[in-house]
Amino acid sequence: YIASESGYHFEEWPILLSVLVLVRWLQLIWSCRAMATVGQKILPILSASFSAQIGGIMVVTTCSLMGFMHGALALELGNAVPEHYSVVLGSLKLLLLGDGDGINAALTLGTAPKDGNVLTFLFLLAAVVIFCVVVLNLFIAVHGEAYDKAQEKAYTSFVQERAAICLQCLLRPSWPPPCCLRRRVSHRLATSVVLLVLCLVIWAILLREPTISVWYPTALLFLCFWVTDALLVQRGWDKTQGEQHYLWMCYRESFDKKKLLPAERDSSQDDLDGRIAALKRENMVLHKKLMREVARCHGDTVKASNTLCDRVEVLETRLRGLESSIGTLLENIHTVSKLGRRLQESPTAPILE
């Protein structure tokens, strides 16, 4: 209303209004990253969308898209009156949306009839197979892997982002300045609201005055926002009591860092990988442990087998000696029994040794 009364109409600047509205909505999404309810859901999406992991597939996707679009424009040059905009629009519909109008646009490139010819059909087939089937699915897979990695450390990223926001607030200009340490504001929020309402009223009055340039109320509003922001980020401690400044690094008593990291993780690795990569690493670590355990068991088995063989040989030797002793003892028993029978039959008979 104030803009209309001052002679400014949004209809005169549709492009600027469109960009401003889009930027504001994106800024709203970015501002919600610090909220506990949606922050842990927004940060993985933003991190995966701007991750360096999708840089390679992004280049491949962009080059493939531009290549097929350029090829379609080249085929359209065979037409007496090339329709470049229709070709670009149809190519985007075909490659990104898989729309039926894009298929018709690809078949009728150049001087081809409504149902297309061999050249346009081969071009359509190559575009569908290479870009729509291969490249787009690879892009989705790589982006999904990047999101999976970001989701694995969503809570850590959320806490780090909150800490970064707190650091930015601490680095902003605040009231009171260093020269006026004792002029602290007790009720920061109430003072900021009153000052903001007062400045908005003055700003609206100045805008309705045709003799005053719009730059003056704009500068006043900027100064008001700057002062209220400085009041809101006022330090919570008293700078004159330096001996009471403490920095506490707190964590739970039950916190165990070893439980958060996989076994035998390299300490030089800075970031945590995603779930699939972590499972692969854990599988490799467990496989190495299992192989070492199998090798150790094999060595123990071989050593035990050799020891057992030695003991069996010793036992066989002792058994053969025992068998020989038993044989000799049996012979002596037989000899003694024979002599006993002879003595019973003839007590006066001589005993032969």
Side-chain angles (χ1 to χ4, degrees):
Y1 171 77
I2 296 175
S4 300
E5 290 293 330
S6 302
Y8 298 96
H9 301 279
F10 292 123
E11 294 82 1
E12 299 177 357
W13 309 90
I15 299 177
L16 181 60
L17 179 62
S18 175
V19 174
L20 180 61
V21 169
L22 177 61
V23 170
R24 287 301 183 183
W25 279 106
L26 295 178
Q27 186 179 4
L28 178 62
I29 297 176
W30 179 249
S31 300
C32 293
R33 73 191 187 279
M35 299 177 61
T37 54
V38 296
Q40 298 186 42
K41 306 299 186 299
I42 294 177
L43 284 175
I45 298 175
L46 298 177
S47 178
S49 300
F50 299 98
S51 174
Q53 184 179 356
I54 65 173
I57 193 62
M58 183 68 73
V59 172
V60 173
T61 304
T62 304
C63 292
S64 301
L65 178 64
M66 298 304 296
F68 282 108
M69 191 180 300
H70 198 180
L73 291 173
L75 290 177
E76 182 64 17
L77 293 177
N79 196 351
V81 182
E83 299 179 358
H84 299 295
Y85 177 76
S86 299
V87 171
V88 172
L89 184 60
S91 300
L92 292 177
K93 288 182 178 180
L94 171 64
L95 298 174
L96 298 180
L97 302 178
D99 188 69
D101 295 337
I103 297 176
N104 296 330
L107 289 175
T108 57
L109 289 173
T111 58
K114 182 179 180 180
D115 295 332
N117 52 25
V118 178
L119 181 60
T120 56
F121 176 77
L122 293 177
F123 179 81
L124 174 63
L125 182 63
V128 170
V129 173
I130 295 176
F131 189 84
C132 297
V133 177
V134 178
V135 177
L136 282 185
N137 284 281
L138 286 176
F139 179 82
I140 295 172
V142 173
H143 191 273
E145 179 66 19
Y147 177 78
D148 182 74
K149 291 179 62 177
Q151 183 64 29
E152 285 293 319
K153 49 181 181 179
Y155 180 74
T156 305
S157 301
F158 173 69
V159 176
Q160 290 177 348
E161 191 65 29
R162 275 194 165 185
I165 294 174
C166 294
L167 178 60
Q168 293 175 4
C169 291
L170 291 175
L171 294 178
R172 289 180 182 177
S174 64
W175 182 268
C179 59
C180 305
L181 295 179
R182 298 188 180 277
R183 296 183 180 180
R184 297 173 57 84
V185 180
S186 301
H187 305 283
R188 294 176 296 171
L189 182 59
T191 305
S192 300
V193 171
V194 172
L195 181 61
L196 185 60
V197 171
L198 181 62
C199 288
L200 286 176
V201 172
I202 299 175
W203 171 75
I205 295 174
L206 292 178
L207 280 180
R208 294 178 62 87
E209 184 63 34
T211 59
I212 299 177
S213 175
V214 294
W215 292 104
Y216 294 104
T218 303
L220 175 64
L221 188 62
F222 172 77
L223 181 62
C224 175
F225 277 106
W226 183 80
V227 173
T228 53
D229 185 73
L231 289 175
L232 291 175
V233 296
Q234 178 181 261
R235 308 294 184 263
W237 56 81
D238 189 357
K239 298 180 181 180
T240 59
Q241 301 177 0
E243 68 278 0
Q244 298 183 4
H245 292 177
Y246 298 99
L247 178 63
W248 296 91
M249 302 297 293
C250 304
Y251 57 89
R252 296 189 305 272
E253 185 179 0
S254 60
F255 175 77
D256 188 4
K257 186 178 179 180
K258 296 181 180 179
K259 294 182 180 180
L260 300 179
L261 299 177
E264 296 187 3
R265 179 182 289 274
D266 187 6
S267 59
S268 62
Q269 185 175 1
D270 295 330
D271 55 346
L272 298 175
D273 290 334
R275 178 170 53 87
I276 298 178
L279 291 176
K280 290 180 180 178
R281 182 180 297 103
E282 287 295 318
N283 189 19
M284 181 181 65
V285 171
L286 292 177
H287 177 71
K288 290 181 178 179
K289 286 185 177 180
L290 182 61
M291 293 303 297
R292 288 196 297 267
E293 190 68 21
V294 170
R296 187 182 63 82
C297 292
H298 177 71
D300 295 341
T301 303
V302 172
K303 185 184 297 184
S305 178
N306 295 333
T307 304
L308 182 61
C309 290
D310 295 338
R311 292 183 178 180
V312 169
E313 291 180 358
V314 174
L315 183 60
E316 289 179 353
T317 303
R318 296 180 63 181
L319 287 176
R320 285 194 295 267
L322 181 61
E323 184 179 0
S324 177
S325 299
I326 292 174
T328 304
L329 181 61
L330 287 175
E331 291 178 359
N332 294 334
I333 292 174
H334 285 301
T335 302
V336 172
S337 62
K338 287 180 182 180
L339 292 175
R341 285 195 299 269
R342 287 181 182 181
L343 289 175
Q344 290 177 0
E345 294 175 355
S346 56
T348 60
I351 298 176
L352 300 177
E353 293 183 3

